[in-house]
Amino acid sequence: MGRTRGPSVRLRLALSSAAGVGVTGALLLGVVWLFLLRYVPQEALSSFDGYAPNRGDLVRAFVPRAFVALAVLLGAGLLGGWWLAGRLLAPLDRLTEAAGLAAEGSLSHRIALPGRADEFRALADAFDTMLERLEAHVSAQRRFAANASHELRTPLAISRTLLEVAHDDPESDPRVLAGRLREVNDRAIDLTEALLVLSRADQRSFDRSSVDLSLLADEAVEVLSPLADARGVALEVEGDVSTTSGSPALLRQVVTNLVHNGIVHNVPAGPHAGTRDVDASVGQPAACVSVSTAPRGAGALLVVENSGPVVPPDLVATLTEPFQRGDARVRGDHQGSGLGLAIVDAIVRAHDGTLEVRPRVGGGLRVTVELPARPG
């Protein structure tokens, strides 16, 4: 909606400066009148040389020159105020230009205002920081949209291929086709549900209540024990009561995702899969996932560690991005949706917590979640 154009800030500052100078000059003239001219007699005065100016003579001589001086002061105040206001408001012109470029979709522009720190430069730095974060957010959203489109298109393409093959082969077993289509459909459903959870966490559209992370850890380990047994992964859980405030369902998703990731991205299953005892002669490291909770100040701490392949540091930095699995962490038997840690990161941020992912020295990851007692 357009606004009616008014006087510029620079003009108003210049007029204010001129008005200040004019008022000051008028006050000085008033002081001269009060403390000097009013005490000069109005009648004619006698002196040794026969002439002495009275009040009228002084007024006639002083007032015209005083008004000339006042006009000069007003002009100097107006010009000086215009110049000074231009210097002071120059950073705002750059801010306006940057805001206009951002409104047009150019988020790469930066103000980079030089000089010592002051209010304008603090504003410019804050604006640059906002543009940087906004640019990163928009880039992440574009990557997310592109990856989500690809991931959602994949099950549909597989289903179409299976149907075409079955159509071209009249002797194919419908039950085999139905089983494969069910697997593809289940993967698409899991992916869609993961996207919904991610969207829900980003919007913070959930109710909060008191949650004990230690109970959620015990529950996640109990639920995922069959999967761990099948893959030969030992699960360990310990810790004290660790209470935070948040959504029980979303925080349960955090713990479950971390433990699930620790199981499926662990030491590759070999001939000993299905048992938790590994023969030392094989030379295969023991596969394990440990979950611990502890109170941290007024909040709660959750730590999930798992053995597994060595994860490069540059790959760790991308694991919380949607659909970022990494070649070293993907195996054909259980790739997942690629949203596990992205969902964890979104939920933790929605609860005003922090997520830290670090590679372990011998391989695997150490994931630390710290949540406040009362999210802001």
Side-chain angles (χ1 to χ4, degrees):
M1 183 176 180
R3 296 176 181 266
T4 303
R5 180 71 177 179
S8 66
V9 176
R10 185 178 185 182
L11 177 59
R12 283 182 284 173
L13 288 176
L15 293 175
S16 300
S17 174
V21 172
V23 171
T24 303
L27 289 175
L28 289 176
L29 294 178
V31 169
V32 171
W33 170 259
L34 288 175
F35 296 98
L36 181 60
L37 293 180
R38 62 180 288 187
Y39 294 108
V40 177
Q42 181 66 35
E43 62 276 3
L45 300 176
S46 60
S47 62
F48 293 103
D49 56 3
Y51 174 76
N54 57 18
R55 184 190 301 174
D57 295 330
L58 292 177
V59 168
R60 284 190 297 271
F62 175 74
V63 170
R65 292 171 177 81
F67 277 107
V68 171
L70 185 59
V72 172
L73 287 176
L74 287 173
L78 183 61
L79 294 177
W82 180 266
W83 176 81
L84 183 60
R87 293 290 302 273
L88 290 176
L89 296 177
L92 289 183
D93 294 335
R94 299 181 62 172
L95 280 168
T96 303
E97 179 186 1
L101 292 174
E104 295 174 358
S106 175
L107 300 178
S108 60
H109 180 73
R110 300 291 182 269
I111 301 173
L113 197 63
R116 297 182 178 181
D118 58 17
E119 289 81 357
F120 285 117
R121 283 154 185 82
L123 177 61
D125 293 342
F127 194 83
D128 284 343
T129 302
M130 182 195 69
L131 285 178
E132 183 178 355
R133 294 181 177 178
L134 185 61
E135 183 182 19
H137 179 73
V138 170
S139 298
Q141 290 297 321
R142 289 174 178 172
R143 291 195 304 270
F144 176 81
N147 291 331
S149 299
H150 173 74
E151 294 286 337
L152 290 172
R153 186 174 63 241
T154 300
L156 298 177
I158 294 175
S159 298
R160 180 178 180 178
T161 302
L162 291 174
L163 291 173
E164 290 177 348
V165 171
H167 180 270
D168 295 337
D169 185 9
E171 298 181 358
S172 61
D173 189 350
R175 290 176 296 180
V176 175
L177 174 62
R180 292 179 179 177
L181 288 176
R182 179 178 296 177
E183 292 178 1
V184 175
N185 187 61
D186 289 341
R187 173 174 169 77
I189 292 175
D190 292 341
L191 178 60
T192 304
E193 290 178 348
L195 290 172
L196 291 175
V197 172
L198 188 61
S199 174
R200 181 187 173 196
D202 286 334
Q203 296 175 3
R204 300 193 177 199
S205 57
F206 54 84
D207 297 326
R208 290 184 168 90
S209 61
S210 180
V211 181
D212 183 3
L213 292 185
S214 63
L215 296 180
L216 297 184
D218 291 336
E219 181 180 339
V221 169
E222 181 179 357
V223 170
L224 294 173
S225 289
L227 176 63
D229 290 336
R231 303 180 68 89
V233 178
L235 295 181
E236 301 174 358
V237 59
E238 61 180 359
D240 302 323
V241 175
S242 306
T243 305
T244 185
S245 177
S247 166
L250 291 179
L251 293 178
R252 182 181 296 108
Q253 186 85 40
V254 168
V255 181
T256 302
N257 280 14
L258 292 178
V259 176
H260 184 270
N261 279 356
I263 295 174
V264 301
H265 299 303
N266 215 296
V267 176
H272 298 272
T275 65
R276 297 194 182 187
D277 297 327
V278 178
D279 189 353
S281 62
V282 179
Q284 183 180 359
C288 65
V289 176
S290 65
V291 186
S292 61
T293 59
R296 172 65 64 89
L301 187 71
L302 169 71
V303 179
V304 179
E305 290 189 72
N306 66 275
S307 56
V310 176
V311 183
D314 57 341
L315 179 60
V316 172
T318 65
L319 291 181
T320 56
E321 295 185 14
F323 307 108
Q324 298 297 317
R325 302 184 184 93
D327 294 338
R329 306 182 78 238
V330 174
R331 293 190 299 277
D333 59 335
H334 207 296
Q335 293 187 17
S337 65
L339 291 171
L341 284 179
I343 291 175
V344 170
D345 182 55
I347 295 175
V348 170
R349 284 188 287 105
H351 287 78
D352 297 324
T354 59
L355 173 68
E356 182 183 40
V357 183
R358 289 186 177 181
R360 297 172 73 242
V361 176
L365 293 175
R366 174 186 172 90
V367 182
T368 303
V369 175
E370 187 170 354
L371 297 170
R374 293 185 179 274

